[in-house]
Amino acid sequence: MRKLFIARILPAFILLIASPVWADLEPTNRSLSPTRINEKISIDGFLDEGVWSLGIPVSDFLQTDPDEGEPGTKRTKVTVLYDDEALYIGFLCLDSEPDKIVKILSKRDDWTSTDKVQVEIDSYHDHLTAYFFEVNAAGVQRDGFRSSDFNYDMSWNSVWEGEAQTGPYGWSAEFKIPFSCGVP
């Protein structure tokens, strides 16, 4: 399973997380800049549109489990794009043993111990609360609101898109989070 990583993007308003297990999360000082686009993206889990190459991917994430602060054991590339309508986030999760990727189908918003990627938006910039959007390797979506670091309200739901695909490289995921999705 992919281990935990976090990075700040969009001046500390968004955290990116990939984790099968939650741990004490401290954002790194890394950042990335989203790239403005004018082309449409089909949210299908494949990062095959040429527009993804316009963004600058970030990949130097650190792990928290089992060896906190050490470089990740599996390389993950994250690219962030945006247009007038939405924020687009692409994850490329490279894995030399793709047959070991944990893909569990479940109902939307169910918690499962599976390979997953998550985006948290700290729209109040208080470092205590965030709206989160998650897709697991099987393409199951999960969203909610986090407060006081680890209190999760799963009743918050929004309309957004997220898909994932596996392949011989590992797996990939795409998110489209509309600016109108209800995140203040």
Side-chain angles (χ1 to χ4, degrees):
M1 280 192 208
R2 191 153 306 274
K3 298 298 181 191
L4 181 67
F5 71 80
I6 298 180
R8 291 185 210 195
I9 63 172
L10 294 175
F13 290 102
I14 298 177
L15 302 173
L16 301 174
I17 302 173
S19 173
V21 178
W22 299 113
D24 290 332
L25 307 178
E26 288 298 324
T28 66
N29 291 323
R30 290 177 184 79
S31 65
L32 63 87
S33 298
T35 301
R36 183 168 182 72
I37 59 170
N38 294 314
E39 299 174 38
K40 294 293 181 195
I41 296 176
S42 174
I43 305 301
D44 56 9
F46 293 109
L47 303 175
D48 55 357
E49 292 93 353
V51 70
W52 284 110
S53 67
L54 300 175
I56 301 169
V58 169
S59 62
D60 59 342
F61 297 105
L62 302 176
Q63 61 180 298
T64 60
D65 181 37
D67 299 312
E68 187 168 350
E70 294 298 316
T73 58
K74 306 215 185 307
R75 189 172 168 137
T76 301
K77 296 180 183 182
V78 180
T79 304
V80 180
L81 309 172
Y82 73 99
D83 60 18
D84 290 337
E85 179 184 321
L87 185 66
Y88 302 88
I89 300 142
F91 289 88
L92 180 60
C93 305
L94 302 174
D95 197 324
S96 61
E97 298 178 286
D99 54 318
K100 293 184 178 180
I101 294 170
V102 180
K103 293 173 49 172
I104 298 175
L105 282 174
S106 66
K107 293 180 187 175
R108 181 185 164 124
D109 288 336
D110 278 355
W111 186 91
T112 57
S113 183
T114 181
D115 284 283
K116 60 185 92 172
V117 289
Q118 184 181 96
V119 176
E120 293 197 6
I121 300 178
D122 178 6
S123 60
Y124 296 115
H125 198 212
D126 60 9
H127 303 280
L128 295 173
T129 60
Y131 295 88
F132 68 87
F133 306 85
E134 177 182 287
V135 171
N136 75 13
V140 177
Q141 293 181 355
R142 190 169 173 247
D143 60 10
F145 180 73
R146 178 182 55 78
S147 63
S148 300
D149 287 335
F150 292 101
N151 294 322
Y152 287 88
D153 177 359
M154 299 306 295
S155 67
W156 183 84
N157 289 296
S158 187
V159 177
W160 59 284
E161 296 177 58
E163 291 291 338
Q165 298 291 336
T166 57
Y169 56 87
W171 68 287
S172 56
E174 287 180 306
F175 291 63
K176 178 183 180 182
I177 304 172
F179 293 128
S180 63
C181 77
V183 176

